[in-house]
Amino acid sequence: MVYPVGAVFAATAYFLLSASALPIRREVPQEHSHEPILTSVRASLNINNPNAIADPVFGLLGNAAAAGGAGKITNLDCLQQATADQAFTNAKAAGDVEGMTNALIFRALERNTGKVGLASVLCTETAANPEIAAVTQHQDPASTGAAATNKAIVLALAKQIASIGGNPQDALKSGTFAPGNLNDATAKGNTCDDANDLQGCIFTQNLLVEDATADEINAAVSGVAVASSTATSAASSASASADAVCSTVTVTVSAAGTVATDAGAATAITSAAATATTSAAATATTSAAATATGGNLQTFTGALGGKSAPAVTAGGRGFLVAGSDSFLNVGAALGRSCDIQHNQCSNAANSGGGFAVGDCDTQNNSCHAAITA
Ligand SMILES: *[C@@H]1O[C@H](CO)[C@@H](O)[C@H](O)[C@H]1NC(C)=O
């Protein structure tokens, strides 16, 4: 990723999601180009964030700026991977395929570097999740060999998305901008950076350059089966015995929800996976029907700073948060809703909302208490 060489962005402050943190200076203008990916990864990360990573955006910054929000991660070349890895782990535990997909896409986003045409350093640590480990970040499109490198990254990403049951064409969303002119010290023409464009300015301004065609993606993922552990996780109401059986075979779940096993799979596997799929769907339908009066299953009404917990509605694979994030379990969806509210509340607190982040923490606890009551 590029930024204007020699330019100084002293006026722009980035606020951490903490009342005590000092504003830090930003010097790179593209880390918010794919905002929906950041938003999704933030929500997944916040479910469980043992390394205290301040926000996913830090993983997309150059190392000097990344240090300001890396938490316990000391190898800054690996902050992006560590962020993606934890978000993926959390989304997987929640049976959230969209969250897992976005964690994978996040891993593939380009990181800022110091000048046009400079590639970012690759992380040499191994991610906990093999899906994350199989993906690396886009490189500056003006760097040497970038077109081939970035195409290979997108095809690898598509395979991993396919392997978890996501839509492999989503890999194209990880694309970057048209190359900047190496001789142009401002190099701004092709880029955008707007944290307030929740749809992602690279998409809304039509600046994304796709690295591969849809057909190339389809060809790359042909024969990729949904990994057994993912199928089990996605059908999160599966019994423990189904887990144990599924761990040794490949299970392919079609879009229609039917389950096919590979040639050598035992019948027991088919029934375990089928049970998992059925019970998840049944649970979703039953509890949604039981409580969905008025459509919104989120009953917590606290709204500090005017930020209410986003609606949870029946839909998607069971439940949708804010109409998009899809979950199998209503509990996970409601928890995500509380977490999103906490983030929005903290942002409001840090933007002079007239209350403290601590008040948002208190509200978050009330929200989680309300949804488990
Ligand atoms: C929100 O509250 C829940 C339950 O009290 C807690 O587990 C979670 O860590 C809180 N989230 C934040 C960001 O403080």
Side-chain angles (χ1 to χ4, degrees):
M1 206 171 262
V2 296
Y3 69 87
V5 175
V8 178
F9 291 82
T12 315
Y14 183 86
F15 293 91
L16 291 168
L17 300 180
S18 158
S20 58
L22 293 171
I24 54 169
R25 182 174 298 178
R26 290 196 337 194
E27 53 185 10
V28 280
Q30 297 174 18
E31 65 276 7
H32 286 285
S33 54
H34 297 68
E35 195 65 16
I37 307 299
L38 278 182
T39 304
S40 172
V41 169
R42 182 177 299 126
S44 294
L45 177 66
N46 285 346
I47 292 170
N48 180 29
N49 184 9
N51 287 314
I53 296 165
D55 191 88
V57 77
F58 288 94
L60 302 181
L61 302 177
N63 283 356
K72 296 177 189 164
I73 303 296
T74 52
N75 182 350
L76 296 172
D77 291 334
C78 292
L79 177 60
Q80 181 179 16
Q81 175 175 287
T83 302
D85 210 17
Q86 188 66 52
F88 188 93
T89 295
N90 296 348
K92 185 172 177 178
D96 176 7
V97 171
E98 186 173 338
M100 293 161 77
T101 299
N102 287 331
L104 285 164
I105 294 173
F106 172 83
R107 176 64 190 95
L109 295 180
E110 186 185 344
R111 278 186 72 197
N112 297 321
T113 57
K115 65 175 191 172
V116 176
L118 182 63
S120 58
V121 176
L122 296 179
C123 171
T124 54
E125 295 177 4
T126 305
N129 295 287
E131 296 89 348
I132 296 289
V135 177
T136 185
Q137 71 266 30
H138 271 72
Q139 291 296 355
D140 187 314
S143 63
T144 309
T149 301
N150 289 340
K151 183 171 189 170
I153 287 168
V154 159
L155 296 180
L157 172 62
K159 288 179 192 173
Q160 295 310 315
I161 293 174
S163 81
I164 59 158
N167 177 2
Q169 297 293 338
D170 283 349
L172 293 169
K173 294 181 187 169
S174 69
T176 187
F177 301 93
N181 181 342
L182 292 170
N183 300 317
D184 175 6
T186 68
K188 274 189 75 91
N190 304 325
T191 69
C192 72
D193 187 49
D194 184 358
N196 294 318
D197 186 342
L198 300 182
Q199 305 304 314
C201 61
I202 194 169
F203 306 115
T204 57
Q205 296 180 29
N206 209 16
L207 295 172
L208 186 141
V209 178
E210 294 189 339
D211 299 291
T213 65
D215 286 348
E216 286 168 334
I217 299 267
N218 288 335
V221 305
S222 69
V224 174
V226 179
S228 55
S229 59
T230 308
T232 304
S233 156
S236 54
S237 354
S239 66
S241 62
D243 277 2
V245 180
C246 283
S247 62
T248 53
V249 297
T250 302
V251 177
T252 308
V253 182
S254 78
T258 51
V259 177
T261 58
D262 64 2
T267 325
I269 313 312
T270 310
S271 62
T275 307
T277 308
T278 311
S279 66
T283 307
T285 311
T286 313
S287 43
T291 25
T293 40
N296 185 5
L297 301 169
Q298 176 57 275
T299 54
F300 182 68
T301 54
L304 204 50
K307 309 290 182 193
S308 50
V312 174
T313 51
R317 295 171 308 120
F319 302 94
L320 294 172
V321 181
S324 60
D325 262 359
S326 183
F327 291 84
L328 284 166
N329 297 318
V330 69
L334 292 168
R336 175 69 61 90
S337 167
C338 293
D339 293 335
I340 291 172
Q341 176 185 42
H342 181 263
N343 262 327
Q344 293 178 342
C345 180
S346 302
N347 285 338
N350 282 327
S351 315
F355 47 91
V357 171
D359 298 326
C360 300
D361 295 341
T362 305
Q363 174 174 263
N364 167 59
N365 287 331
S366 306
C367 185
H368 279 272
I371 64 170
T372 49

